[in-house]
Amino acid sequence: MKIRFCLLFVVFTMTINAQTKLTISGQTYTNSEDTWLGVNIARDQPTTLVFKNNSITSVNRYGYLLQAGDEGAASTNNNLDGAVITGNRLSWSGSDMTVIPHGLFTGHNRNVVAKYNYLKDVPMGIIRKSSNNMVNTGGGVAYNIVKNGAVAMVIKGMSNVNVFNNTFYTERTPSQTWRPLLDIYTNTDNGNHSVARGTKIFNNIFYMKYQTLAITIDNAENLEGLECDYNVYWCEAGTPGFKVNGSVKTFSEWQAMGYDAHSVVMNPEFKDLVNFVPSKRLDFGRDLGAEWKDGLALNAKWGTADPATTAQNGKWQAGAVVYEAGTVTEPVQPAPPVAAPEPPVTTPATDSNNISFSANPVRNSLTVNNMPASDSGRLAIYDFSGKLCLEKPLPAAASQVVPINLGKGIYIAYVKKGDEVVHFRKLIVVQ
């Protein structure tokens, strides 16, 4: 194992009244081994931990990047109560997308604050877990950017976890990950039955390039006390999906359950996929008070100093990055409320064939090319609110012109065979 340490700040440890104070700041860790226990925080006694502005890079298929907690019940549980993990950058450079090394892991510790961290390609991103029904009285996961994990965040058997103002983004296809961006479920490992009640999910951005799910909740008991609202959802390949107790829900069905009444389905139009700065203010959030007021600034960078922050101002903004006061931008307009029916979210949208659409933008008709001569399908076109605007059969003909006669706007066009989506493209209709 090769681990490189670049100590830029003094690691300060002392014990006062049996409470250890441990600050780890400005270090660089690089691992090249297949199995790694990660940066493993000592927790044999009660410790006030601050882990800030560090860099962790690894290729491991097994283990952790940051291990600041326990997998199961142990005498060391909750010895890192109230730990602050902030301003860190975690990157995974492996190639096997089926593995599940844990990124920012804080199992069996209450009231952890995980804030302003940047996770890139880490298979399992931020993990809050217990096997003994731990209940938080504070803390939260806030203003983090999590990019391209198999799952951005896991809440497993721990109650009252706050999930505030994060940006969760994935380019992974459903075939590359079996997980949603946010996975909430009961911990049944080794005969346990530890429930994740009372989760609070506000002001986050959930961005899916393909039709991976936004949020999954494994059973009804984890819906107890759940609050989820004022979020921004966007799926390039269709509309956002959710799963509850094994049943996939469209956004409108999810809303009908009482969630996300004030949330919007809209493209945050990130300026780039590195810094995840929205092109305009996303004034769709809920005021969460002074404790959570400071978000990442537009120029936030990760290194050996704290990333720059900006206070929420005016209407509370959604996502990890916020515009400062006095910034004038035209607010991004949300899509209309989602109306059923919506495109299916259970079948991966693939593009592994030669089917194509001619002429985009289009006017009154759409040409579909390279349909297999021995196969038929159907064309389905949805607007960006999720409303089905047109559905027509596609005969087994190599090239065919389909009248569409839709109003001016942007749509998503799908070619389906049964329940499988075999081709999709954004469609621009002009007059």
Side-chain angles (χ1 to χ4, degrees):
M1 182 185 305
K2 177 184 176 183
I3 303 178
R4 179 165 55 93
F5 297 93
C6 179
L7 184 58
L8 300 179
F9 292 89
V10 175
V11 177
F12 181 58
T13 306
M14 67 179 182
T15 303
I16 299 177
N17 298 326
Q19 181 78 23
T20 297
K21 293 187 176 181
L22 174 62
T23 297
I24 302 175
S25 180
Q27 297 198 52
T28 297
Y29 306 83
T30 303
N31 169 67
S32 59
E33 291 197 355
D34 192 57
T35 299
W36 187 40
L37 293 180
V39 180
N40 194 356
I41 305 299
R43 50 190 179 277
D44 56 340
Q45 56 186 326
T47 299
T48 300
L49 171 67
V50 176
F51 189 86
K52 62 183 295 187
N53 304 335
N54 302 291
S55 174
I56 305 174
T57 302
S58 184
V59 298
N60 58 321
R61 293 192 299 153
Y62 307 100
Y64 308 82
L65 275 73
L66 174 61
Q67 186 181 171
D70 303 314
E71 287 285 358
S75 61
T76 52
N77 286 176
N78 213 41
N79 277 349
L80 300 180
D81 180 9
V84 176
I85 301 172
T86 179
N88 304 286
R89 184 179 178 91
L90 281 64
S91 300
W92 186 77
S93 304
S95 58
D96 185 353
M97 290 189 174
T98 66
V99 297
I100 54 171
H102 293 18
L104 198 165
F105 177 79
T106 55
H108 291 84
N109 285 288
R110 287 187 289 266
N111 307 325
V112 170
V113 175
K115 208 172 185 182
Y116 310 137
N117 301 290
Y118 193 113
L119 282 72
K120 179 178 181 293
D121 299 328
V122 179
M124 294 190 70
I126 300 173
I127 302 171
R128 300 290 288 123
K129 171 183 179 179
S130 84
S131 61
N132 46 12
N133 286 294
M134 281 188 167
V135 179
N136 295 287
T137 57
V141 176
Y143 295 107
N144 302 283
I145 295 174
V146 186
K147 177 182 180 180
N148 281 346
V151 57
M153 183 175 175
V154 168
I155 302 173
K156 182 176 181 180
M158 179 175 282
S159 292
N160 290 2
V161 177
N162 295 322
V163 185
F164 297 157
N165 273 98
N166 300 283
T167 295
F168 296 142
Y169 173 91
T170 182
E171 293 177 359
R172 297 203 189 200
T173 66
S175 63
Q176 291 174 328
T177 175
W178 66 101
R179 308 292 288 266
L181 283 172
L182 176 57
D183 204 355
I184 304 170
Y185 56 105
T186 300
N187 185 350
T188 58
D189 297 348
N190 303 313
N192 299 312
H193 192 87
S194 187
V195 183
R197 299 184 176 93
T199 307
K200 307 292 187 292
I201 308 166
F202 295 124
N203 306 342
N204 304 281
I205 297 174
F206 293 85
Y207 192 113
M208 295 75 63
K209 182 171 184 177
Y210 302 100
Q211 285 189 295
T212 47
L213 298 172
I215 301 173
T216 291
I217 300 173
D218 71 335
N219 58 54
E221 63 187 353
N222 293 312
L223 293 173
E224 295 180 24
L226 172 68
E227 297 180 39
C228 184
D229 207 351
Y230 298 92
N231 300 293
V232 172
Y233 296 95
W234 186 247
C235 177
E236 290 185 19
T239 55
F242 306 79
K243 184 183 286 186
V244 180
N245 199 24
S247 176
V248 174
K249 307 290 184 182
T250 63
F251 184 68
S252 56
E253 290 171 335
W254 174 251
Q255 284 186 312
M257 294 179 65
Y259 307 111
D260 281 310
H262 303 92
S263 297
V264 295
V265 177
M266 53 159 289
N267 189 347
E269 300 178 355
F270 295 122
K271 293 183 177 180
D272 58 61
L273 299 180
V274 176
N275 301 300
F276 291 94
V277 176
S279 61
K280 300 174 183 178
R281 289 177 60 106
L282 300 179
D283 291 330
F284 303 107
R286 168 181 172 177
D287 192 329
L288 300 176
E291 181 180 4
W292 307 105
K293 193 172 184 63
D294 293 335
L296 291 169
L298 304 189
N299 62 341
K301 303 295 180 185
W302 283 261
T304 57
D306 294 341
T309 60
T310 293
Q312 289 277 5
N313 53 87
K315 184 74 170 68
W316 198 283
Q317 299 169 62
V321 180
V322 301
Y323 280 80
E324 64 184 3
T327 303
V328 179
T329 64
E330 180 185 350
V332 179
Q333 296 301 314
V338 174
E342 294 178 338
V345 295
T346 55
T347 303
T350 63
D351 205 7
S352 58
N353 48 66
N354 294 319
I355 298 172
S356 65
F357 299 141
S358 293
N360 196 6
V362 300
R363 293 186 183 274
N364 298 321
S365 63
L366 175 66
T367 302
V368 182
N369 300 309
N370 300 319
M371 280 292 294
S374 60
D375 205 354
S376 61
R378 61 190 204 281
L379 174 70
I381 300 179
Y382 295 81
D383 68 17
F384 268 37
S385 74
K387 179 181 178 181
L388 179 64
C389 299
L390 178 147
E391 187 166 21
K392 291 188 175 183
L394 291 174
S399 179
Q400 51 199 287
V401 178
V402 182
I404 55 174
N405 297 317
L406 297 172
K408 181 179 178 181
I410 302 176
Y411 301 82
I412 298 289
Y414 296 83
V415 175
K416 303 178 183 178
K417 294 181 182 178
D419 290 331
E420 182 184 5
V421 177
V422 295
H423 183 78
F424 66 87
R425 278 294 179 271
K426 182 186 293 184
L427 189 66
I428 301 173
V429 176
V430 296
Q431 297 298 316

